[in-house]
Amino acid sequence: MNRAQILRRVGLGFLGLFFSASLWAHGGAAGTDTDQCKFELEKDHWIHYTAYQPKDFPAEDFCGNIPNTNTLTQLVFDYQDVRYRNMAVEFEVTKEPEGTRVFFQEANKHKSGTVVLSLPNGVPEVGKYLIHITLVPDQGDRLDAHMSFMAGKGQEVKSGSILLYAFFAFAGLYVLYLSHAGFKRLIDGILAKVKGF
């Protein structure tokens, strides 16, 4: 096998890992629904939630853990059910367990099916927060649903990500070992010394 074939196979392997890792982002395999960023507003009627901190993490989205406080935070809700586009929905964010209000938006209809709540200064302190989403129907009872999140704990590095980075580093070194004679000699010399002990 020549060097070009090895590099082609390694490149295809990296692409496979990259795309499979991005498919895990919201919960995994076909036929399962483990999306932690969606919640039931009514029985079998769902809303998807995503949080962004565009100044601090421009290419990241969050759900249950928002890394920073006192920075622009956007909470985005996508109705996964068309019926909510014709209903007035109210949004509130409170600091828990005190119940102190940090954000409120009066009931409105959102015909596009997407609602962006912009908190210019984010949330004020580290801790647990609760998002209250209330359906305000023309007739009948109000319906309140809740979703909590933690803020200000920093951005955690998942153990799966660390393993993936370690794998890529090992794979890169292995390709270098196979394709570069000087590096191969160096590694073989080190391994010979280790075996000698």
Side-chain angles (χ1 to χ4, degrees), residues 4-18:
Q5 289 173 321
I6 292 170
L7 290 174
R8 187 177 315 126
R9 287 185 181 185
V10 169
L12 289 173
F14 282 143
L15 281 174
L17 284 171
F18 175 75

Side-chain angles (χ1 to χ4, degrees), residues 52-101:
Y52 299 92
Q53 292 190 316
K55 289 183 179 175
D56 298 343
F57 303 98
E60 301 278 337
D61 59 85
F62 304 98
C63 181
N65 292 304
I66 299 176
N68 290 345
T69 59
N70 298 308
T71 186
L72 171 64
T73 301
Q74 295 173 322
L75 307 177
V76 180
F77 300 88
D78 292 306
Y79 300 157
Q80 294 185 334
D81 196 323
V82 176
R83 66 188 258 136
Y84 294 134
R85 295 179 186 192
N86 295 314
M87 295 180 155
V89 182
E90 176 184 283
F91 293 90
E92 181 181 24
V93 178
T94 57
K95 171 75 173 78
E96 298 302 322
E98 306 87 3
T100 307
R101 179 186 283 178

Side-chain angles (χ1 to χ4, degrees), residues 13-175:
F14 282 143
L15 281 174
L17 284 171
F18 175 75
F19 285 113
S20 65
S22 65
L23 292 176
W24 300 335
H26 282 302
T32 64
D33 192 355
T34 58
D35 186 352
Q36 300 300 311
C37 294
K38 83 176 197 180
F39 59 100
E40 216 171 15
L41 191 51
E42 296 179 278
K43 176 100 173 102
D44 298 324
H45 298 288
W46 300 87
I47 287 183
H48 189 274
Y49 153 76
T50 310
Y52 299 92
Q53 292 190 316
K55 289 183 179 175
D56 298 343
F57 303 98
E60 301 278 337
D61 59 85
F62 304 98
C63 181
N65 292 304
I66 299 176
N68 290 345
T69 59
N70 298 308
T71 186
L72 171 64
T73 301
Q74 295 173 322
L75 307 177
V76 180
F77 300 88
D78 292 306
Y79 300 157
Q80 294 185 334
D81 196 323
V82 176
R83 66 188 258 136
Y84 294 134
R85 295 179 186 192
N86 295 314
M87 295 180 155
V89 182
E90 176 184 283
F91 293 90
E92 181 181 24
V93 178
T94 57
K95 171 75 173 78
E96 298 302 322
E98 306 87 3
T100 307
R101 179 186 283 178
V102 296
F103 178 85
F104 180 75
Q105 179 177 299
E106 290 185 14
N108 260 321
K109 293 181 180 179
H110 304 277
K111 298 288 187 182
S112 70
T114 298
V115 182
V116 179
L117 307 180
S118 188
L119 288 71
N121 299 315
V123 293
E125 58 188 85
V126 173
K128 181 178 178 183
Y129 290 83
L130 198 61
I131 302 168
H132 306 262
I133 300 174
T134 306
L135 281 176
V136 184
D138 295 331
Q139 300 173 8
D141 295 333
R142 294 166 59 103
L143 177 67
D144 195 27
H146 304 91
M147 181 172 189
S148 65
F149 66 88
M150 292 296 293
K153 299 287 186 178
Q155 189 174 22
E156 62 185 49
V157 178
K158 297 180 179 104
S159 59
S161 297
I162 293 170
L163 289 174
L164 194 58
Y165 293 140
F167 173 77
F168 282 133
F170 177 76
L173 290 171
Y174 185 66
V175 168

